[in-house]
Amino acid sequence: MLEPATLADARALADAAAALTADAVARCADLTGGGERIDEHQVIVDRVAYAATEARAASALCDAAEAAPADAYLTQLAIAGVAELARMCRDRLDPVAHDLGMAEVPYAHVKDALLRAGAEANVRALGRHVADTAGKNVWPLDATLAEVRASVRQFADKEVAPRAEHIHRHDELVPDAIIDAMGELGYFGLSIPEAYGGHELGNLAMILTTEELSRASLACGGSLITRPEILAKALLAGGTEAQKQAWLPRLATGEVMVAISVTEPDVGSDVASLRCRATRATVDGKAGWVIDGAKAWCTFAGRANVIAVLARTDPDLSRGAKGLSLFIVDKPRFDGHAFAAAQAHGGRLEGKADRTPGYRGMHSFTLAFESWFVPEDQLVGEAGGVGKGFYLQMAGFAAGRLQTGGRACGLSQAALEHTASYVASRAQFGEPIIRFPLTQYHLGRMAHRLAAARAITYAAATAMDADERRAAPLAAQAKLFACDVAVEVTQLGQLLHGGWGYAEEYAISRYVVDAQVLPIFEGVKPILALKVVARALLQPG
Ligand SMILES: Cc1cc2nc3c(=O)[nH]c(=O)nc-3n(C[C@H](O)[C@H](O)[C@H](O)COP(=O)(O)OP(=O)(O)OC[C@H]3O[C@@H](n4cnc5c(N)ncnc54)[C@H](O)[C@@H]3O)c2cc1C
């Protein structure tokens, strides 16, 4: 008979996973010359980066549980969640342990803790609790943040959730009523400094807002904040004072809706090879730039009033990322799936949305720019911003990735709640299906996987508040981990719905297709693991 597991077991396991992955990271750094030769060892590096991310999530989950010792549910989430994460780290590294020269059998010293914490009965108990409480999110927060979460939840339940299914099924555009209300409530300015018209409540408030909106709808709720967030952070990192004064207050109120345009039809992950050109020009006596070229997958480009376009200002392709600059490009708004705009001097911009199985409500466009004029003062950083676009875009993406961690948690939360209700009401073989141990186990896993995703995302948000640049790798880890969890949790939820989980009438079918996009954008998963997370982990110092 095993003794009951305690939080001390979870901490011992989190520490063991941290030590194991720290050793793997150090060996991997040696193997790759401090990250210089990642591409020669991609499979090993990917496994090490992912295991280190799981270990980081385990530590964050323990930290959260230890900070709220009276919260018995969070303690149980941490015990079961950390045990699974510790096992996952070990199993992920096992196939490459020989390549890394790791001879020791890991976890010998925490064998008993792993047996106690990793007992399947712990996960089933969690599942029963989740079903009894309808999966409600009661993560402990201080009074101010709890108030933020409660008020956004009320708004999202009332205004967003009732429209979400219709918008998804008919592939409609998110209604202005939602955007206007979000603007009035200040949701677009949560992490913009007060000096520029924002509310400066910090990244955790922004994440909680995103989570609650995404719980109601990924596309016509939580994702609306992502684009302004990316542009705001790029402006704060490298905009001139006049640009900050001009744009940030309008982003904070939602007056200006933004699209972000990096990807091109032939260039995705290899951003340094972008080809869309910006050339100096004077149009109607005004100095500026004209943009020519194709872009792809530009979400919200129709409805947006401005597109943040990363374009090549140095025609010498060998300059790579150093030849790119970031522009704030004005355009008229359009509500449909295709548009064409013209400027008096002959500039043209055309867009056509690519149909997608999920993430509907904002529409993602292929764009064609032809001599499209942008005034000089809309190059971020103006003269000083020439050639800095890549760096500024990446500063924006660090914030975008954190925000996407929040989107993933919100979507997972929606799947958890819907599944908890379903398994309590659906009966087979004469019993509600939650009475079956395997159902309890799956539901319990959904809950502790989400808890780990939430813990690392909140840890990243808090770290970003302290130092955005240093916290960028952690934000990338949060995005990497939470997005995978969203895919896993929504699919588990669908499984527990049986055939009805495949029916459009049940929201879980939408959650599944929505979640699948999360590991793709803002750095597709293999690139995020290799080029962002691993690079940060492996570089010296
Ligand atoms: C719904 C949706 C919305 C989007 N919204 C936006 C948006 O608003 N703005 C925007 O700019 N972009 C957007 N994107 C684009 C998204 O960011 C890109 O799809 C993503 O960056 C990957 O680029 P790609 O599709 O060209 O894939 P590729 O770069 O072609 O990669 C495909 C696969 O090749 C492999 N691969 C590539 N390079 C390497 C390598 N060096 N090492 C190992 N494996 C490699 C990986 O497995 C990768 O998954 C969106 C995409 C979608 C689907």
Side-chain angles (χ1 to χ4, degrees):
M1 182 76 178
L2 284 171
E3 281 177 33
T6 64
L7 203 46
D9 290 328
R11 174 52 73 188
L13 291 169
D15 287 349
L20 175 69
T21 54
D23 181 33
V25 165
R27 289 166 186 272
C28 195
D30 283 347
L31 182 72
T32 60
E36 292 291 318
R37 295 187 303 277
I38 284 177
D39 283 344
E40 289 170 37
H41 305 281
Q42 285 194 345
V43 176
I44 297 170
V45 172
D46 178 64
R47 283 183 173 266
V48 170
Y50 210 96
T53 300
E54 288 168 329
R56 188 65 185 81
S59 298
L61 185 50
C62 263
D63 292 345
E66 286 167 357
D71 188 329
Y73 176 45
L74 187 53
T75 296
Q76 293 309 316
L77 286 168
I79 288 169
V82 171
E84 177 162 326
L85 286 164
R87 281 189 175 130
M88 287 176 112
C89 289
R90 179 194 62 193
D91 296 349
R92 201 172 292 283
L93 292 174
D94 186 57
V96 295
H98 176 75
D99 304 87
L100 291 168
M102 298 170 77
E104 277 177 39
V105 180
Y107 299 162
H109 61 299
V110 287
K111 194 167 130 270
D112 291 342
L114 191 54
L115 273 178
R116 284 191 295 270
E120 56 89 21
N122 296 338
V123 186
R124 282 189 287 112
L126 269 180
R128 289 193 298 275
H129 179 82
V130 170
D132 288 346
T133 55
K136 196 162 186 268
N137 173 11
V138 289
W139 191 273
L141 296 171
D142 71 28
T144 310
L145 291 170
E147 175 59 35
V148 169
R149 180 173 66 188
S151 71
V152 183
R153 189 174 293 172
Q154 199 181 20
F155 168 79
D157 281 345
K158 187 161 168 264
E159 303 297 337
V160 183
R163 295 165 149 126
E165 197 61 29
H166 180 87
I167 291 170
H168 170 70
R169 285 225 225 148
H170 300 276
D171 199 12
E172 284 181 1
L173 192 66
V174 50
D176 278 349
I178 290 183
I179 296 172
D180 294 346
M182 281 174 58
E184 272 163 35
L185 290 163
Y187 294 169
F188 295 111
L190 288 170
S191 60
I192 292 180
E194 273 177 17
Y196 299 111
H199 302 283
E200 217 167 359
L201 279 180
N203 284 299
L204 193 45
M206 185 272 289
I207 286 297
L208 293 167
T209 303
T210 298
E211 241 191 300
E212 292 302 326
L213 292 167
S214 302
R215 172 178 161 267
S217 165
L218 180 73
C220 66
S223 300
L224 284 167
I225 301 181
T226 319
R227 273 140 282 277
E229 188 67 27
I230 292 173
L231 179 56
K233 288 286 155 63
L235 276 165
L236 286 165
T240 63
E241 188 52 36
Q243 287 173 331
K244 291 179 201 168
Q245 301 276 2
W247 292 103
L248 291 173
R250 296 164 72 203
L251 293 177
T253 57
E255 176 197 334
V256 168
M257 282 289 114
V258 186
I260 303 291
S261 189
V262 176
T263 309
E264 297 179 358
D266 296 324
V267 184
S269 305
D270 186 10
V271 175
S273 298
L274 289 181
R275 283 172 180 271
C276 183
R277 293 185 319 276
T279 316
R280 282 191 192 280
T282 301
V283 169
D284 297 334
K286 243 180 145 181
W289 301 77
V290 287
I291 299 190
D292 288 275
K295 288 283 183 185
W297 290 112
C298 185
T299 302
F300 220 34
R303 168 64 179 81
N305 326 80
V306 300
I307 308 180
V309 177
L310 189 61
R312 184 162 295 286
T313 41
D314 187 332
D316 179 1
L317 275 175
S318 70
R319 298 269 300 148
K322 294 196 177 98
L324 301 175
S325 306
L326 183 62
F327 294 87
I328 303 177
V329 177
D330 298 291
K331 63 169 275 297
R333 65 166 276 187
F334 296 94
D335 289 354
H337 286 82
F339 66 84
Q343 292 177 323
H345 74 281
R348 286 188 64 76
L349 171 59
E350 289 182 11
K352 186 172 173 303
D354 291 280
R355 300 273 177 183
T356 54
Y359 194 50
R360 294 174 178 166
M362 303 184 79
H363 308 147
S364 300
F365 290 75
T366 296
L367 301 175
F369 288 93
E370 212 182 297
S371 284
W372 190 260
F373 180 71
V374 190
E376 183 78 47
D377 61 1
Q378 286 177 218
L379 188 167
V380 178
E382 294 198 43
V386 175
K388 304 256 174 63
F390 182 85
Y391 154 75
L392 297 175
Q393 187 68 59
M394 293 309 135
F397 272 155
R401 286 180 188 133
L402 173 67
Q403 213 264 344
T404 300
R407 291 196 274 176
C409 292
L411 189 53
S412 301
Q413 177 64 34
L416 184 70
E417 289 178 38
H418 277 253
T419 306
S421 304
Y422 187 81
V423 298
S425 61
R426 173 76 173 175
Q428 286 294 287
F429 301 97
E431 304 221 46
I433 59 175
I434 186 59
R435 296 255 175 87
F436 299 117
L438 192 53
T439 308
Q440 295 167 9
Y441 183 77
H442 285 320
L443 193 62
R445 277 200 71 242
M446 288 171 71
H448 75 61
R449 299 290 288 153
L450 166 57
R454 192 170 271 145
I456 190 172
T457 303
Y458 290 6
T462 308
M464 288 279 268
D465 281 340
D467 184 336
E468 284 192 1
R469 208 176 55 79
R470 282 173 64 104
L474 181 56
Q477 286 184 305
K479 194 264 177 188
L480 183 70
F481 183 79
C483 293
D484 267 6
V485 165
V487 171
E488 186 186 358
V489 163
T490 53
Q491 287 183 355
L492 265 175
Q494 184 178 49
L495 193 70
L496 294 183
H497 278 72
W500 299 108
Y502 203 61
E504 283 201 335
E505 278 83 346
Y506 284 79
I508 192 78
S509 67
R510 168 165 54 94
Y511 301 151
V512 169
V513 287
D514 278 356
Q516 280 169 341
V517 78
L518 293 171
I520 293 176
F521 50 41
E522 286 165 348
V524 67
K525 181 178 155 184
I527 300 296
L528 192 63
L530 293 176
K531 309 260 178 207
V532 183
V533 174
R535 245 183 218 163
L537 289 170
L538 299 177
Q539 72 191 2

